[in-house]
């Protein structure tokens, strides 16, 4: 009695389709719909029921929130000591402020998460499948058991598959096993456990070489990868540099607040003031130093920056990458598809010895040979495959109008492009012969060539070395014209050789058998491929140069081709020949490479993905922030090693995209430069609203310092401070966070990556210059109202005094109005801030309007005045408060002019 197979890996390949109620032609639309309804989408997301609760709880554990909560607790203690002073109400006010601040931060973080989810939909994970006899690309979430999936190099396997066809198919099982080792897959049945079977492709793993087909037998959380996802939902991510910088800023401001508050609390106790008064004073100092609305505004700035980047075809996979891109010193870019349009067109079929144009018969034969070493699939009217292979197929179709691509030849074996060998190959039947064909870089093909000639004539009289030298000249001439040059060579196969290759297909000795064929080849000719430089690249490179950013080309293409493209793009001067090849890089140490980079070398040709890592390492040794582009499987290590990994969204592999922090939706170099500009703008805006918020701390702190040192009334209470920080400063801060790019932002060198948001210069300007001006002017009006009302120095005033209410009201109104001048001044580092951009920023206009209306309402609208404990003043006094706008704006602009003149000097 035959034993039943334990799992699908133990089933012969011819029985796999039947076991999954499918067929080689794939599922029909009705079958797909039925299975999708019963089984659900192919999703690995695990529902975390407590995620929102944890996110909300986290908002109450930062230093600012804890300070407010502790302050509220102290207020409740003070209320127990002296209930008549109303400290209990203040405590509840602080609790409400902490709650509102946490809710606002939670909403912004939630919006940020939803925005990132929406952005990721820009590049859905697409999978190539065969359904109802047609090949198409569908979102991975729509895969169902029974689907026939086509695998190619660089693909991320979207569901658990049983392999039914393989051609040199190798995968990396690291996502499941943790061991990054290549495993060759085969369609043959195996008597092993499912995890050990070499005929199973597991979801989450990547194809690192070859092609194949597999039938889906598990999707979503039913896959091995899905089960791991369920177990890993509690894993916490590490904090990013920006998050650590924000935490540092919070610690500094909290330390300042606590140190000042506690120091003056001790001073008050030593000077004999009542305990409740000292507690009030300490709370005022602490609350005045805490910018309650700063954290949610920082999150909002990053969210808006990421959305603006997406509109410029730059997709960030984490919010912190928005700001990080702005600090880049060097952009290492590929050539094909990034600097060029990736519209490969074969414009020359050149005779290998003279470079002369071929006869029509020779062109037909060379195109057929090149097609034999190409892997192209047809999905409707679209050709799928590597851009070079698609260009070869298009050339063959152009030479054979009316014929189908499937009629081209009978390809028996295809050997996928090998990055290290820089060539691909195939075995094709032409007439009565079987030919082994190689297509690749001339340097890679040249050692295998034993004869040169057209497909019909390989009788040559000159020595082989002279013929190869002549071919080298032809190749160099084509490359110097900016053409990508591909050599095509072949040789007939004996029956014994053919039988051996067929017998070893998909076996461990498959590559060895293929390597054994690579000798005694006949060089058939050259393909000259044109890929025009994108029209916007030259201006983008010039923009980089102005911004102090160095652009480096790292490509596997020929040096002459690369130099021609670099000159057209403006990366090097026309006629420049300074470059390094992969061969030269092999012999250079990192230190020697650093010297070459310091001497200005910015073109690297014929490089391997491993050498990209070496270049990144050398640049990092120079303390430079490096952005690296990549699209292939082997680019993943370099993308991870760079400070900013940038993957191609159109031509990039799944592996490259998952290794990068940024994805270019249009694969365009100019989009990188737009992203750098946006990143610089986001960081600049963060500094703008941080400075804006801290300026108001000065006039909030100063009244408490005078109150504890001098026998004068308290000009502002804690409610007034909270009204400024959360009521009136919040909207203008959000407006500064959405300011467009300063025209000067790309004319400055990259910022130091260690530069802090909270610099010494910013704190001195905010606290000791602008903050003091606001404090001095507002307190001048405070004492003017008191003096006009009959108060004299040293006389006490009860908290219920109408005169004190009026003086407090004008102090608060003056701060609100002066913050308008501060707001306009913070828009630019050097310019005045008065331009058309001011009226285009709706949030800034709304913030100004709110401050204007509230400055009047706190004085003259009884309901608000009663709530805040303020009162009216004479119109001329209110007019003086308005002068504060011009005062702070003028003094700040004078400072800018002096700084600008000093920098020029």
């Amino acid at each position: 009695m035959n034993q039943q197979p334990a799992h699908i890996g133990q089933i012969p390949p011819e029985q796999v389709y039947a076991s999954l109620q499918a067929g080689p032609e794939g599922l029909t639309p009705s079958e797909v719909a039925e299975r999708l309804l019963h089984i659900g989408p192919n999703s690995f997301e695990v529902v975390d029921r407590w995620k929102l609760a944890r996110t909300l709880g986290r908002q109450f554990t930062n230093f600012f929130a804890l300070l407010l909560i502790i302050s509220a607790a102290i207020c409740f203690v003070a209320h127990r000591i002296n209930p008549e002073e109303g400290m209990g109400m203040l405590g509840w006010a602080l609790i409400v402020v902490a709650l509102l601040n946490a809710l606002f931060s939670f909403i912004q973080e939630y919006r940020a998460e939803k925005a990132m989810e929406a952005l990721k939909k820009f590049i859905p994970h697409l999978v190539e499948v065969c359904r109802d006899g047609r090949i198409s690309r569908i979102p991975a979430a729509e895969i169902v058991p029974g689907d026939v999936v086509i695998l190619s190099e660089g693909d991320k396997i979207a569901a658990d598959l049983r392999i039914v066809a393989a051609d040199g198919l190798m995968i990396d099982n690291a996502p499941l096993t943790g061991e990054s080792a290549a495993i060759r897959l085969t369609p043959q049945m195996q008597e092993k456990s499912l995890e050990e079977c070499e005929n199973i492709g597991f979801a989450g793993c990547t194809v690192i070489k070859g092609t194949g087909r597999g039938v889906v037998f598990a999707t979503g959380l039913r896959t091995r990868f899905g089960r791991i996802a369920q177990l890993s939902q509690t894993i916490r991510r590490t904090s990013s540099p920006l998050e650590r910088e924000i935490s540092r800023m919070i610690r500094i401001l909290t330390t300042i607040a606590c140190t000042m508050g506690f120091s003056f609390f001790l001073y008050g106790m030593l000077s004999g003031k009542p305990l409740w008064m000292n507690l009030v004073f300490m709370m005022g100092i602490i609350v005045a130093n805490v910018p309650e609305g700063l954290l949610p505004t920082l999150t909002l700035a990053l969210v808006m920056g990421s959305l603006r980047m997406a509109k410029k075809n730059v997709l960030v996979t984490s919010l912190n990458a928005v700001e990080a891109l702005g600090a880049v010193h060097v952009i290492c870019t590929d050539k094909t598809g990034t600097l060029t349009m990736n519209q490969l067109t074969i414009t020359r079929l050149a005779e290998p010895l003279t470079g002369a144009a071929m006869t029509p018969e020779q062109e037909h034969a060379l195109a057929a040979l090149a097609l034999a070493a190409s892997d192209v699939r047809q999905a409707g009217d679209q050709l799928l495959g590597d851009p070079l292979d698609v260009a070869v197929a298009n050339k063959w179709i152009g030479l054979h109008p009316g014929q189908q691509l499937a009629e081209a030849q009978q390809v028996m074996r295809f050997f996928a492009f090998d990055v290290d060998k820089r060539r691909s190959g195939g075995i094709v039947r032409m007439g009565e012969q079987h030919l082994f064909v190689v297509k690749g870089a001339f340097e890679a093909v040249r050692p295998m060539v034993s004869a040169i000639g057209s497909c019909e004539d390989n009788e040559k009289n000159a020595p082989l070395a002279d013929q190869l030298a002549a071919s080298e000249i032809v190749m160099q001439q084509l490359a110097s014209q900016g053409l990508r040059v591909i050599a095509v060579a072949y040789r007939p196969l004996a029956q014994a050789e053919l039988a051996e290759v067929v017998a070893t297909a998909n076996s461990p000795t498959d590559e060895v058998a293929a390597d054994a064929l690579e000798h005694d080849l006949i060089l058939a000719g050259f393909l000259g491929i044109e890929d025009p430089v994108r029209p916007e690249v030259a201006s983008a490179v010039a923009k980089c140069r102005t911004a102090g950013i160095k652009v480096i080309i790292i490509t596997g293409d020929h040096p002459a081709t690369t130099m021609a493209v670099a000159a057209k793009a403006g990366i090097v001067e026309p006629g420049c020949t300074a470059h390094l090849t992969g061969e030269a890089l092999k012999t250079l140490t990192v230190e020697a490479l650093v010297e070459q980079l310091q001497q200005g070398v910015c073109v690297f040709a014929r490089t391997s993905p491993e050498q990209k890592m070496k270049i990144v390492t050398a640049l990092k040794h120079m303390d430079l922030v490096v952005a690296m582009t990549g699209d292939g499987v082997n680019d993943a290590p370099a993308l991870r090693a760079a400070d900013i990994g940038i993957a191609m969204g159109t031509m990039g592999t799944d592996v490259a995209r998952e290794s990068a922090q940024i994805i270019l939706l249009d694969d365009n170099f100019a989009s990188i430069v737009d992203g750098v500009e946006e990143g610089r703008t986001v960081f600049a805006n963060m500094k703008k609203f941080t400075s804006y918020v801290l300026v108001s701390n000065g006039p909030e702190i100063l009244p408490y310092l005078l109150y504890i040192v001098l026998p004068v009334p308290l000009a502002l209470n804690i409610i007034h401070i909270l009204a400024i920080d959360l009521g009136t400063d919040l909207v203008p801060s959000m407006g500064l966070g959405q300011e467009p790019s300063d025209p000067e932002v790309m004319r400055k060198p990259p910022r130091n990556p260690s530069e802090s948001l909270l610099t010494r210069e910013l704190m001195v300007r905010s606290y000791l210059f602008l903050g003091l001006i606001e404090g001095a002017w507002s307190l001048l009006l405070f004492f003017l109202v008191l003096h006009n009302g009959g108060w004299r120095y040293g006389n006490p005033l009860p908290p219920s005094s109408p005169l004190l209410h009026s003086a407090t009201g004008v102090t608060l109104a003056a701060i609100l109005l002066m913050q308008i001048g501060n707001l306009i001044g913070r828009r630019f580092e050097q310019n005045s801030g008065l331009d058309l951009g001011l009226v285009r920023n709706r949030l800034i206009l709304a913030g100004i309007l709110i401050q204007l209306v509230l400055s009047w309402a706190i004085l003259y609208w009884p309901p608000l005045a009663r709530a805040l404990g303020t009162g009216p003043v004479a119109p001329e006094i209110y007019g003086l408060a308005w002068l504060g706008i011009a005062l702070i704006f003028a003094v700040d602009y004078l400072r800018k002019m002096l700084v600008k003149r000093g920098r020029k000097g």
Side-chain angles (χ1 to χ4, degrees), residues 701-774:
I701 295 170
L702 203 55
Y704 284 87
L705 298 180
L706 294 180
Y707 176 66
I708 199 69
V709 175
L710 303 175
V712 296
L714 182 62
L716 294 174
N717 63 38
I718 296 177
I719 299 298
H720 299 145
I721 293 171
L722 295 175
I724 295 171
D725 290 349
L726 281 175
T728 61
D729 274 359
L730 199 57
V731 175
S733 298
M734 294 164 60
L736 286 173
Q738 295 191 43
E739 277 285 278
S741 297
D742 184 339
E744 298 293 322
V745 77
M746 291 299 282
R747 296 173 189 165
K748 301 175 183 177
R751 66 176 177 83
N752 191 318
S754 61
E755 180 182 342
S756 170
L757 276 172
L758 203 62
T759 61
R760 181 179 299 178
E761 179 188 356
L762 185 146
M763 294 188 70
V764 169
R765 183 179 68 225
S766 300
Y767 282 103
L768 302 181
F769 181 64
L770 297 176
L772 279 180
I773 292 172
E774 281 195 11

Side-chain angles (χ1 to χ4, degrees), residues 173-180:
N173 263 351
L176 288 180
T177 64
E179 299 177 6
S180 185

Side-chain angles (χ1 to χ4, degrees), residues 843-885:
L843 276 176
I844 284 185
L845 291 180
I848 292 174
L849 182 62
I850 290 171
Q851 288 171 319
L852 289 175
V853 171
L854 283 178
S855 72
W856 173 88
I858 59 178
L859 296 174
Y860 304 113
W861 191 42
L864 185 60
R866 282 194 299 270
L868 294 176
T870 57
V873 295
E876 58 269 20
I877 299 294
Y878 182 50
L880 288 175
W882 272 73
L883 285 179
I885 301 176

